[in-house]
Amino acid sequence: MLTEYQLRMPKHIIAGEHALEKLAEIINSDVKKIVLFTDKGILATGLVDLPKTIIEKAGIDYTIISDIPAEPSYHEAQSMVDLFKKEQADFIIAIGGGSVMDVAKLSSILATDEYQVKDLLENPLLAKKQVNSLMIPTTAGTGAEATPNSIVGVPEKDLKIGIVNPEMIADYVILDSRMIKNLPKPIAAATGVDALCHAIECFTSTKANPISNTFALEALDLIMNNIIEACTDPQALKAKSDMLLGSFYAGVAITASGTTAVHALSYPLGGKYHIAHGVSNAMLLTPVMKFNEPAIKELLAAAYDRVIKGGNQSLSIAEKSAHMINQLEKIVTVLEIPTSLKTFNVPSEDLDGLVAAGMEVTRLLVNNKREVTPEDAKKIYLEIL
Ligand SMILES: NC(=O)c1ccc[n+]([C@@H]2O[C@H](COP(=O)([O-])OP(=O)(O)OC[C@H]3O[C@@H](n4cnc5c(N)ncnc54)[C@H](O)[C@@H]3O)[C@@H](O)[C@H]2O)c1
Ligand SMILES: [Zn+2]
């Protein structure tokens, strides 16, 4: 049998101690004008200071665009792209979480007036890469530094939509654990569980294949065995660095495979109630894994064998699978991520609307090994309502 796989990822990845200092080598003499995307929260932490100094030392002109809101709508993303276009930059640096990186990635293919973000909602492949980009994630994380995706809110549909275009894949990535060292615990926890979802969903997706599994399993191993320490101990730099690598690998797994019903049913929660992406995924993780279990038991057992340190290999497949789901649930509980929509005042009358919006995310629902009917989606949402 002949099988063809396509592995798409950034060409150049710099990771580890003092990785950030390598910025000086990336922005060589060809670069004339840089736009540095970030947001106000990150600016306030001082995380942009070192990169700024390096750019200034290199004598390269730059502008900082920092008005990016968390989880932007496509209108908000377009206004950032419009600011970017005025600068006529020939290099993009994004320092931030998924929100910042997603806007930067859209800018890299929308530098001329030919297309708008709105056009890409209908036909994501229209635009081609115009400006090279470097992603420096400050959360671990969305894996947006690895993927061809940019996720924007679509208020008219009460949904978030993923624009997927390989032209948006970053050219350079810097993974430096200093960027996530002082992440506030609630953000570290929610973004970490997002990465965890990417790994386990991609591994249990209908699109999973040997290439994506290599990245998904390594990501799962790194994330499950480091997430609690990384989120709760500010000094745990090794755990944080492993989380950053794990979330990057999980991003590569998304590109080669795809997320499933956790992310699909999560999009309306972000789109309508603006629940943070990682939090809405965390809420749905256990209910969806329990729903999927009949179809993915063997896979969960294989994941157990790979990631549970000192696990009992003589357990049955059903026992290993149950243990994996318990561990996933435990992570969400220990990290104190809200698991009920009541926390966000979602009224029970909204249930049917949620189901209708969730069922629209066919791009990801088709990846789910067990078919999700509207009745199933309703039961899953009811568990967290
Ligand atoms: N493109 C992709 O492949 C992909 C994948 C998953 C999710 N996403 C999208 O990414 C967005 C979420 O990104 P996110 O979870 O990284 O969060 P985010 O970028 O929305 O940031 C959340 C908050 O954390 C703050 N923050 C970020 N880094 C910080 C740091 N080091 N210290 C202190 N504060 C910091 C920000 O200022 C912001 O207020 C959503 O829109 C989601 O849909 C994209
Ligand atoms: Zn995600």
Side-chain angles (χ1 to χ4, degrees), residues 108-339:
S108 74
I109 61 167
L110 294 172
T112 59
D113 291 330
E114 207 172 349
Y115 304 111
Q116 305 250 315
V117 180
K118 189 174 193 294
D119 302 318
L120 303 186
L121 293 174
E122 303 297 323
N123 186 352
L125 297 174
L126 279 176
K128 299 275 177 265
K129 165 103 68 180
Q130 290 147 346
V131 182
N132 284 347
S133 66
L134 158 66
M135 303 288 133
I136 308 178
T138 64
T139 61
T142 62
E145 69 278 11
T147 69
N149 305 6
S150 181
I151 319 287
V152 289
V154 181
E156 301 86 326
K157 291 190 169 179
D158 283 340
L159 255 186
K160 297 191 79 173
I161 286 188
I163 296 169
V164 184
N165 180 338
E167 298 278 329
M168 279 194 286
I169 293 182
D171 300 276
Y172 301 89
V173 172
I174 291 183
L175 304 174
D176 189 321
S177 54
R178 285 174 292 178
M179 302 312 265
I180 62 165
K181 183 167 186 279
N182 297 315
L183 254 183
K185 188 186 157 206
I187 301 178
T191 54
V193 170
D194 183 28
L196 177 63
C197 292
H198 296 161
I200 193 74
E201 288 179 71
C202 287
F203 182 62
T204 56
S205 165
T206 54
K207 291 213 175 90
N209 58 72
I211 304 286
S212 64
N213 288 347
T214 303
F215 284 94
L217 278 178
E218 183 63 16
L220 195 63
D221 192 355
L222 287 168
I223 296 165
M224 281 189 81
N225 291 304
N226 288 290
I227 188 168
I228 291 177
E229 199 189 347
C231 292
T232 53
D233 177 359
Q235 300 313 321
L237 267 195
K238 168 79 173 76
K240 289 171 196 285
S241 160
D242 283 350
M243 279 299 293
L244 212 45
L245 203 56
S247 56
F248 175 78
Y249 289 157
V252 179
I254 292 181
T255 313
S257 171
T259 54
T260 61
V262 176
H263 269 69
L265 298 182
S266 165
Y267 277 171
L269 302 178
K272 180 151 188 187
Y273 309 104
H274 303 286
I275 301 171
H277 178 72
V279 173
S280 54
N281 287 333
M283 282 181 179
L284 286 159
L285 178 59
T286 308
V288 169
M289 285 299 139
K290 284 189 174 156
F291 169 79
N292 281 350
E293 197 181 12
I296 62 170
K297 248 185 212 147
E298 278 80 9
L299 291 170
L300 291 176
Y304 173 100
D305 288 341
R306 169 66 185 269
V307 309
I308 303 296
K309 306 295 169 206
N312 179 355
Q313 302 301 312
S314 61
L315 291 182
S316 68
I317 285 178
E319 286 167 329
K320 287 177 179 175
S321 166
H323 184 88
M324 275 301 288
I325 295 179
N326 283 341
Q327 286 304 108
L328 296 173
E329 187 167 25
K330 193 173 143 201
I331 288 170
V332 175
T333 309
V334 171
L335 293 177
E336 300 171 317
I337 306 175
T339 49

Side-chain angles (χ1 to χ4, degrees), residues 26-40:
I26 296 173
I27 45 166
N28 57 34
S29 52
D30 295 343
V31 176
K32 302 276 176 289
K33 172 81 193 259
I34 294 172
V35 161
L36 192 160
F37 286 102
T38 189
D39 68 29
K40 292 273 186 286

